[in-house]
Structures are given as structure tokens and as C-alpha cells.
């Protein structure tokens, strides 16, 4: 068991009188992985103060030099690749193959934003007079607070922290309490790469103590959050009270629409990847499959067979295709929704129960004939539970897909270009795919949801990040 520390102002700080909390392996619930300090509101305030003190020096550091530190951090992630991936599987539960994919993503994000140190930082505009210059320059916001969920414990912190640092901000990072050990490894790589003291601070503890303090702090210039809608809404209210810039990415209820002409094997493969990959614990997971009547019976039977064939177990074991739920609470939520589905009259085709002892294992679960307005089809579950909703035609499918509060990701399976592009035009989602699973993102592309899936302020990743992590200063110069 690791006894871990927080990082405040360049100092590693252990648990105070306020104690510590444990993290556990969801595949072996008796195994304690690590303990972390239960930081208090005062600790969070100290971290903000340390970041504010470090900020001017970091902002004045040439951008290529900041980028060089991110490049070095990427190298360190590579050197520790297997250790980090194994930790991720042991802490969050996803399979080792999925964990390796996530660590690769984090490393590549560090490289991408390292390169930003050499890219655009403003714009030159035509001046209105001779011997005059007019230009805009990008400046960092100051202290940026980063609050992240447990389901991508290294990739999401990387895609927030890397651009924040690349553009010259100082960061206070609060990881999810279920997965701080994987997050710590990213912080160690960044710190060991040569970040000056105070530029990156790492504060573990509850959302109520640490998270709310960051949201309420008048010294935080920007706050970026990924997590559930309820938490995000509370943070938004607190942070905008003092006019901090706020970016929120929240839940999803993502549909894959399968049209009559779809190749059955491809349709099933994409539904399995999107619905059961990452144990369904992805914000972009496919939790609704909306199927045109002509193919629905064949698709439902084939999806049920594929779900039943998946091997569930410890993500570190060879051949395991789906890991456990992250926690007892998440498993209980999944089982609650299975009970709700049965009660509401949906037809259980596969799974529906626990899948073994010792860990939070659940069978991949498929329901058919799910009513588009029922809770199974409307609420985010965040587990391996897929509901098949039947549709008369494309119009009916799109109407049902758009009938939820969320609007994060959506996909369609068809070879009919006209119908595919009609779907692209009319679907209400921030990420839209054709013949792909709803999950899986390219780090160089903007990411973010519509409707209740985001604050509808900023996108993140790729070239979009600069919009959130910098502000624009307009400069007029006359020299004639
Ligand atoms: P939560 O909203 O429960 O927690 C997210 C983060 O917020 C955690 O670090 C948590 O801390 C912290 N937090 C909790 N309460 C507060 C508070 N009052 N003030 C400030 N911070 C607080 O989400 P989960 O971690 O359970 O993650 C699952 C959710 O994340 C799902 O809804 C999923 O859809 C969403 N998500 C969205 C993504 C997207 O890009 N749209 C991507 C991935 C996930 P602590 O852990 O200590 O409680």
C-alpha cells in the first residue's frame, strides 16, 4: 500500500490531523491500494496562494521553454508507461489494454501541447493610420483550477493541465477521490520534468472541502471541470459569482442509430465497443441503440449473443474484455437501473446480474423494447447497460435520439450517404460519428457536448483549448 502526499507550493505534504482516505482495487475490494491526505478548505486555499505566487514567473517563461518541460514530462510518462497503465487498471478497473490506450493518450496530449509553445499567440491586424501597429496577443488567465472525474484518471487531467501550463497558467488540480493514484503519477512526471515550485499543485480530498473551495476562490481565474451534471451545475453557480471563466463537461446519454441497410456485423461490433468498452463508464458510452424496425430483431439477437460472450473479470487478467464497476456505489446504481428497466416493462435479453465475486463485477446487460421516454432511455447510468429502442424510420430515430436532456456524442451505422448526412445535420450532439462507436476521440479535434452535457461555453482539446486557457489583449501602437 502506498502512503501518498499532496503537492503544494513545490512541497510534498502528508496527511494532517484531518486524516486520510483509502483507495481500493475494484476487482479485489479487500485490497487497499493507497492512502491520500483528506485535504481541507485551508489546504486548498494554500494551494491557490502558492499557484498565484508562482504564476508571474511561469507566465514570463518563454512559451518554447514551457513546452520543453511538457515534452520531458511526455518522455517520463513513456519511461513509466507499464507502471502507470497497471496502476490505472488496479485503481479504476478498466482492462490493461484500455489503460494502455489511455496512458498513450495522456502522453500524446503532453506532446501536442508542448508543440503549442511554438505556435500562434495572437494576430496582427491592419492599423487605421500610417506608422501604427494593431495586434492582439494571448495571455494566460492566472490560476486555473482543474477538477476531474474518476473514469479517465490520467487522460482527462492531461487534456486540461497540459494546455493550462503550455499557455502560461499556474494550476491547482483536484483529482477524483476514487482515482488519485493514477493522477499522482501524471503530477510526478510533470514535476520531475522541471516545473518550478507552485506552478502545479495537487490537492486530494472531498469535493465539498477542496472542490467547493476552488470554485468559490476569487483568486481562481479559470475553472475547468469534468464530472456529473449535478456537481457541475453547483460549481458553475459558485465560480461565476466572482466572474471566473468556467468550462464544464458533463454527462451523456449517447445514441447509436442503426439503419436498415447497416451491415449487421459492423453494427453489433460498434454497439459492443461503445456500450461495453470501458465497462460503459465513459461519458461518450453508447447507452441507447436506436434501431430501425427492419433490422431490429436480427440486431437485438446478435447483440445479446455478443454481450453474453464477453469475458468479465480483473482487467489485469489475460483475455478479460470488460473490467468491474469502479465502486460499490456505481455497481448499486447499475443494478438499480436494471431493476427499473424490468419494472418499466423492457425485455431483458442478456446479463442483468453480478458476474463473479470479490470485485464489483456486472454482466454486460442488454434490454430490448425500451420505451424512449422511460428512465432507462433518459437517465445517464454510467455502466454496461444498453437499451435497444425501436424506431419506424430515420425521422423517428432522430426524434428519439434528440429526446433526452444530454447532447454529448451520437453515431449512425449506414452506407446510405444521404441518410448519414441527414443524421449529421439534425442530431443534437457535440460529437457526431458515422460508422464509428460513440466512444473514442482524436486529441487534435475539439471536444465538448451540447445541451446539458456542457456549460455551452468552451470546447476542449486540440486547437480549441487556447480559447479557454487564454484571454486576448488588443494592442495599439503608434510610432510615427
Ligand atoms: P462527480 O461529479 O461526482 O465528480 C467529479 C469531480 O468533482 C470529482 O473530482 C469530485 O470529487 C468533484 N466534486 C464532487 N462534489 C463537488 C463539489 N460540491 N464541488 C466541487 N467539486 C466536487 O463525477 P464522477 O467522478 O462520478 O464522474 C462521472 C461523471 O462524469 C459522469 O456523469 C460522466 O458523464 C461525467 N464525465 C463527463 C465527461 C465529458 O467529457 N463530458 C468525461 C468523463 C466523465 P470527489 O471525487 O472527491 O467526490
Amino acid at each position: 500500500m502506498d502512503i501518498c502526499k499532496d503537492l503544494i507550493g513545490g512541497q510534498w505534504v502528508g496527511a494532517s490531523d484531518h486524516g486520510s482516505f483509502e483507495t481500493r482495487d475494484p476487482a479485489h475490494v479487500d485490497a487497499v491500494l493507497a492512502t491520500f491526505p483528506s485535504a481541507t478548505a485551508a489546504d486548498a486555499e494554500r494551494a491557490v496562494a502558492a499557484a498565484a505566487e508562482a504564476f508571474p514567473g511561469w507566465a514570463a517563461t518563454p512559451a518554447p521553454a514551457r513546452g520543453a518541460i511538457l515534452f520531458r514530462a511526455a518522455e517520463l510518462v513513456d519511461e513509466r508507461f507499464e507502471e502507470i497503465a497497471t496502476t490505472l487498471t488496479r485503481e479504476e478497473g478498466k482492462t490493461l489494454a484500455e489503460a494502455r490506450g489511455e496512458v498513450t493518450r495522456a502522453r500524446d496530449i503532453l506532446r501536442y501541447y508542448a508543440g503549442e509553445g511554438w505556435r500562434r499567440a495572437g494576430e496582427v491586424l491592419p492599423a487605421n493610420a500610417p506608422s501604427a501597429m494593431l495586434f492582439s496577443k494571448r495571455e494566460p488567465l492566472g490560476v486555473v483550477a482543474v477538477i476531474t472525474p474518476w473514469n479517465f484518471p490520467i487522460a482527462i487531467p492531461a487534456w486540461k493541465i497540459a494546455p493550462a501550463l503550455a499557455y502560461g497558467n499556474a494550476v491547482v488540480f483536484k483529482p477524483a477521490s476514487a482515482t488519485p493514484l493514477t493522477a499522482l503519477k501524471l503530477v510526478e512526471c510533470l514535476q520531475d520534468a522541471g516545473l518550478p515550485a507552485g506552478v502545479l499543485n495537487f490537492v486530494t480530498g472531498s469535493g465539498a472541502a477542496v472542490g467547493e473551495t476552488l470554485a468559490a476562490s476569487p483568486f481562481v481565474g479559470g475553472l475547468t471541470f469534468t464530472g456529473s451534471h449535478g456537481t457541475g451545475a453547483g460549481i458553475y453557480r459558485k465560480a461565476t459569482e466572482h466572474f471566473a471563466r468556467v468550462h464544464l463537461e458533463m454527462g451523456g446519454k449517447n445514441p447509436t442509430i442503426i439503419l436498415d441497410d447497416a451491415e449487421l456485423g459492423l453494427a453489433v461490433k460498434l454497439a459492443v465497443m461503445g456500450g461495453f468498452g470501458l465497462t460503459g463508464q465513459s461519458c461518450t458510452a453508447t447507452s441507447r441503440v436506436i434501431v430501425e424496425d427492419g433490422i431490429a430483431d436480427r440486431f437485438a439477437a446478435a447483440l445479446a449473443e455478443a454481450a453474453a460472450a464477453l469475458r468479465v473479470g480483473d482487467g489485469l487478467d489475460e483475455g478479460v474484455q470488460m473490467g468491474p464497476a469502479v465502486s460499490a456505489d456505481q455497481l448499486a446504481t447499475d443494478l438499480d437501473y436494471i431493476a427499473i428497466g424490468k419494472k418499466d416493462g423492457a425485455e431483458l435479453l442478456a446479463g442483468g446480474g453480478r458476474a463473479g465475486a470479490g470485485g464489483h463485477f456486472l454482466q454486460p446487460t442488454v434490454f430490448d423494447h425500451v420505451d424512449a421516454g422511460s428512465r432507462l432511455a433518459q437517465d445517464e447510468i454510467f455502466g454496461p447497460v444498453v437499451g435497444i429502442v425501436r424506431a419506424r424510420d430515420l425521422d423517428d430515430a432522430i426524434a428519439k435520439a434528440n429526446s433526452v436532456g444530454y447532447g454529448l456524442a451520437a453515431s449512425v451505422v449506414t452506407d446510405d450517404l444521404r441518410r448519414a448526412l441527414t443524421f449529421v445535420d439534425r442530431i443534437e450532439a457535440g460529437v457526431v460519428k458515422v460508422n464509428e462507436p460513440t466512444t473514442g476521440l482524436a486529441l487534435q479535434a475539439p471536444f465538448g457536448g451540447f445541451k446539458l452535457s456542457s456549460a455551452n461555453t468552451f470546447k476542449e482539446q486540440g486547437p480549441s483549448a487556447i480559447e479557454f486557457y487564454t484571454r486576448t489583449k488588443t494592442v495599439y501602437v503608434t510610432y510615427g
Side-chain angles (χ1 to χ4, degrees):
M1 182 184 74
D2 294 346
I3 298 174
C4 301
K5 295 184 173 176
D6 285 355
L7 179 66
I8 299 179
Q11 302 293 318
W12 291 101
V13 192
S16 65
D17 298 344
H18 299 277
S20 56
F21 63 94
E22 292 173 346
T23 62
R24 283 170 189 268
D25 180 345
H28 304 277
V29 290
D30 294 335
V32 177
L33 284 182
T35 67
F36 277 87
S38 297
T40 61
D43 296 325
E45 277 166 5
R46 279 199 303 122
V48 171
E53 197 182 327
F55 167 67
W58 182 242
T61 302
R66 295 196 298 254
I69 293 177
L70 294 184
F71 266 125
R72 178 68 192 132
E75 286 171 1
L76 294 175
V77 168
D78 246 352
E79 285 170 20
R80 296 176 61 179
F81 190 90
E82 279 304 310
E83 171 215 337
I84 298 173
T86 305
T87 300
L88 205 170
T89 293
R90 293 186 68 209
E91 191 178 47
E92 197 269 354
K94 64 186 62 169
T95 65
L96 192 55
E98 291 168 339
R100 286 183 179 133
E102 185 179 337
V103 178
T104 301
R105 161 61 62 103
R107 179 203 64 200
D108 291 350
I109 287 166
L110 290 168
R111 286 184 181 153
Y112 179 93
Y113 287 106
E116 279 293 87
W118 281 267
R119 291 195 198 106
R120 69 189 169 132
E123 214 181 350
V124 179
L125 300 151
N128 288 336
S131 302
M133 279 177 72
L134 178 57
F135 61 95
S136 67
K137 64 195 284 275
R138 293 279 184 173
E139 294 187 342
L141 300 178
V143 177
V144 167
V146 171
I147 303 179
T148 56
W150 47 261
N151 66 330
F152 288 103
I154 188 164
I156 292 179
W159 81 50
K160 293 176 184 300
I161 294 170
L165 295 176
Y167 300 126
N169 300 282
V171 170
V172 180
F173 169 34
K174 183 238 171 300
S177 296
T179 52
L181 190 56
T182 312
L184 173 63
K185 310 243 174 229
L186 174 67
V187 172
E188 286 171 352
C189 290
L190 283 159
Q191 202 60 21
D192 293 347
L195 279 183
V199 169
L200 174 61
N201 302 273
F202 176 69
V203 190
T204 56
S206 73
V210 179
E212 291 199 18
T213 303
L214 296 180
S217 171
F219 305 108
V220 166
L223 187 151
T224 175
F225 164 88
T226 298
S228 61
H229 184 265
T231 307
I235 287 177
Y236 191 83
R237 278 191 290 273
K238 280 205 179 61
T240 51
E241 219 166 87
H242 58 91
F243 298 102
R245 183 177 286 189
V246 184
H247 166 255
L248 306 177
E249 282 304 330
M250 300 178 284
K253 189 69 188 173
N254 312 292
T256 288
I257 292 179
I258 307 215
L259 297 182
D260 278 348
D261 72 289
E263 198 259 299
L264 186 66
L266 176 68
V268 172
K269 182 176 139 203
L270 297 179
V272 168
M273 283 169 74
F276 304 123
L278 304 157
T279 320
Q281 297 177 147
S282 167
C283 50
T284 53
T286 308
S287 54
R288 297 179 291 157
V289 188
I290 303 175
V291 192
E292 219 177 352
D293 280 334
I295 193 175
D297 288 341
R298 282 183 297 135
F299 173 80
L303 180 63
E305 192 183 322
L310 287 175
R311 208 174 134 211
V312 181
D314 181 343
L316 290 180
D317 289 349
E318 195 72 30
V320 162
Q321 293 161 299
M322 193 181 93
V326 72
S327 63
D329 281 356
Q330 184 58 54
L331 179 65
T333 301
D334 298 344
L335 290 167
D336 279 354
Y337 273 100
I338 289 168
I340 289 167
K342 286 179 186 164
K343 189 170 136 286
D344 287 351
E347 183 187 343
L348 182 66
L349 292 187
R354 303 283 302 267
H360 305 307
F361 302 113
L362 183 71
Q363 295 170 329
T365 297
V366 179
F367 279 100
D368 195 3
H369 297 287
V370 175
D371 187 289
S374 68
R375 288 190 61 196
L376 206 57
Q378 291 283 321
D379 298 356
E380 182 180 55
I381 303 171
F382 223 59
V385 181
V386 172
I388 297 174
V389 176
R390 294 179 176 230
R392 285 187 311 280
D393 52 23
L394 179 64
D395 284 347
D396 188 33
I398 293 174
K400 284 174 171 156
N402 286 340
S403 73
V404 302
Y406 295 112
L408 188 53
S411 72
V412 68
V413 188
T414 181
D415 281 339
D416 180 335
L417 185 63
R418 185 185 60 77
R419 298 213 294 166
L421 293 182
T422 301
F423 159 84
V424 168
D425 286 345
R426 288 171 41 198
I427 194 74
E428 293 167 358
V431 178
V432 177
K433 298 178 161 195
V434 178
N435 295 327
E436 295 202 18
T438 53
T439 48
L441 302 166
L443 65 94
Q444 69 276 25
F447 172 58
F450 293 169
K451 306 202 295 189
L452 298 182
S453 292
S454 83
N456 293 289
T457 51
F458 296 88
K459 293 259 180 182
E460 59 186 345
Q461 299 203 56
S464 296
I466 196 168
E467 303 298 334
F468 176 74
Y469 292 101
T470 65
R471 59 187 185 183
T472 302
K473 183 176 273 177
T474 310
V475 185
Y476 293 77
V477 179
T478 295
Y479 54 93

